């Protein structure tokens, strides 16, 4: 087998090597992306595990540090590419949603551009150096620094290739978060794939976005949940020995709706993740900076609160919550 190269990391069979993908400066500063390649001795699938697309989502970032330490190349079939922190500018500068220099959301600019702004150049580097080299991809998120959530994943039922969609469904069930949002709205344009995992999916590579953790704080429980998910995916793909596991009774969420703020002001949430709400129920209030109520935000449907913004800063058009209809077990 020839060595696999990702950025400065070059791994031959049986090696675990870390390095950096260089992202040159453009109209804004350059950066780099820390990556690890764990190359098994035997030919097999190439799995990409990505953390830190949003820099203030630390549970998956710390989880992948443990995965790097815990996976022995000698025991592995195939290759794991770990993107330890995809969005280093956002991580270092502690930004929520957007990069510090271009104010763009990295998970909205895929497949990126080599001559674009920093977020677009990072996306392009990940597309060409990671997504183009993998067979399967898990994009590991959590609630951002301002968001509390109940763990869940997205199944991208894209509709371009039923086989890829079915494999992505199995990956979601394997990762092990039992609440799974069915997403049928993914963009199908390979040149405007928008999201990291969708960029793999439109290229015929089964991919899942996971959400476990929140509010910028890595808890042991959420780090462990992310580690468990990554290890389960490797066993499912027969990259590591051990039993294959899948969620036995998934709670499919269909439909789900992101509720956005109608105003800029101070946000006062009235619900918590996993709360059941009826259509019209109060999700939270927006006040002005003096504390006077400007407007109330109501749930658009009967459903369950999947995530809710729990910090006060709020801009018009920003998400405040996602509410979804959680179907009964085996209801799909
Ligand atoms: Zn995220």
């Amino acid at each position: 087998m020839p060595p696999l190269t990702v950025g400065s990391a070059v791994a031959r069979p049986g090696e675990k090597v870390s390095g950096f993908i260089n992202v040159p400066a453009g109209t804004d500063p350059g950066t780099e992306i820390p990556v690890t390649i764990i190359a098994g001795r035997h030919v097999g699938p190439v799995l990409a595990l990505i953390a830190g697309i949003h820099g203030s989502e630390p549970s998956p970032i710390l989880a992948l540090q443990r995965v790097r330490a815990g996976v022995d190349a000698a025991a592995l079939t195939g290759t794991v590419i770990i993107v330890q922190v995809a969005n280093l500018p956002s991580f270092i500068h502690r930004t929520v949603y957007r990069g510090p220099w271009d104010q763009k959301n990295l998970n909205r600019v895929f497949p990126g551009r080599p001559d674009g702004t920093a977020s677009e150049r990072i996306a392009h580097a990940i597309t060409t150096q990671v997504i183009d080299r993998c067979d399967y991809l898990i994009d590991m998120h959590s609630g951002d620094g301002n968001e509390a959530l109940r763990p869940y994943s997205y199944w991208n039922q894209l509709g371009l290739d039923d086989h890829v969609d079915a494999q992505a469904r199995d990956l979601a069930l394997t990762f092990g978060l039992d609440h799974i949002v069915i997403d049928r709205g993914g963009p199908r344009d390979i040149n405007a794939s928008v999201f990291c995992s969708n960029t793999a999916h439109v290229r015929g590579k089964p991919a899942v976005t996971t959400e476990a953790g929140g509010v910028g704080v890595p808890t042991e429980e959420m780090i462990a949940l992310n580690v468990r998910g990554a290890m389960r995916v490797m066993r499912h793909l027969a990259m590591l020995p051990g039993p294959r596991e899948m969620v036995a009774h998934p709670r499919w969420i269909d439909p789900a709706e992101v509720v956005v703020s109608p105003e800029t002001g101070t946000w006062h949430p009235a619900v918590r993740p996993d709360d059941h709400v009826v259509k019209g129920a109060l999700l939270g209030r927006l006040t002005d900076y003096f504390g006077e109520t400007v407007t109330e935000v109501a749930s658009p449907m009967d459903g369950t609160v999947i995530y809710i913004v729990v910090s006060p800063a709020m801009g018009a058009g920003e998400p405040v919550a996602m509410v979804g209809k959680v179907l009964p077990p085996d209801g799909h």
Side-chain angles (χ1 to χ4, degrees), residues 20-23 30-34 85-89:
F20 292 89
I21 302 172
N22 182 50
V23 180
T31 183
E32 54 190 7
I33 304 169
V85 187
N87 196 343
L88 219 46

Side-chain angles (χ1 to χ4, degrees), residues 21 60 77 85 91 97 107 155 161 187 199 207 217 231 234 255 276 278 285 317 325:
I21 302 172
T77 296
V85 187
F91 180 73
Y97 299 153
N107 209 25
W155 174 35
D161 182 328
T199 301
V217 179
M231 302 306 289
M234 283 180 250
H276 298 279
V278 296
R285 288 183 304 120
K325 184 171 174 56

Side-chain angles (χ1 to χ4, degrees), residues 46-47 53 55 66 83 127 149 162 170 178 180 210 215 227 234 241-243 248 258 271 284-285 299 310:
V46 179
L47 169 67
I53 287 275
R66 290 191 193 175
V83 176
T127 300
L149 59 72
D162 289 346
D170 283 353
D178 71 343
I180 306 172
T210 61
V215 294
V227 171
M234 283 180 250
V258 174
V271 294
R285 288 183 304 120
S299 176
V310 291

Side-chain angles (χ1 to χ4, degrees), residues 54 57 141-142:
H54 296 127
E57 300 179 355
H141 290 246
S142 69

Side-chain angles (χ1 to χ4, degrees), residues 278-319:
V278 296
K279 183 175 180 175
L282 181 70
L283 294 178
R285 288 183 304 120
L286 270 162
T287 68
D288 62 20
Y289 306 120
F290 306 98
E292 301 293 335
T293 297
V294 174
T295 187
E296 295 184 334
V297 177
S299 176
M301 66 168 94
D302 293 359
T304 299
V305 176
I306 309 299
Y307 73 71
I308 179 86
V309 169
V310 291
S311 71
M314 184 56 68
E318 297 283 351

Side-chain angles (χ1 to χ4, degrees), residues 6 21 33-36 48-53 60-61 64 81-87 126 130:
V6 179
I21 302 172
I33 304 169
V35 295
T36 296
L49 301 170
I50 298 183
I53 287 275
I61 293 171
L64 289 188
I81 302 173
I82 300 174
V83 176
Q84 311 273 176
V85 187
N87 196 343
I126 292 171
V130 178

Side-chain angles (χ1 to χ4, degrees), residues 105-150:
N105 185 333
L106 175 56
N107 209 25
R108 300 292 183 276
V109 299
F110 274 83
R113 297 154 48 106
D115 58 349
T117 64
S119 298
E120 293 165 334
R121 298 196 308 279
I122 293 169
H124 179 261
I126 292 171
T127 300
T128 55
Q129 300 224 30
V130 178
I131 295 174
D132 282 351
R133 287 169 195 174
C134 76
D135 303 310
Y136 304 90
L137 182 144
I138 312 289
D139 184 21
M140 297 164 65
H141 290 246
S142 69
D144 216 322
N146 57 334
E147 292 168 344
L149 59 72
R150 69 111 46 247

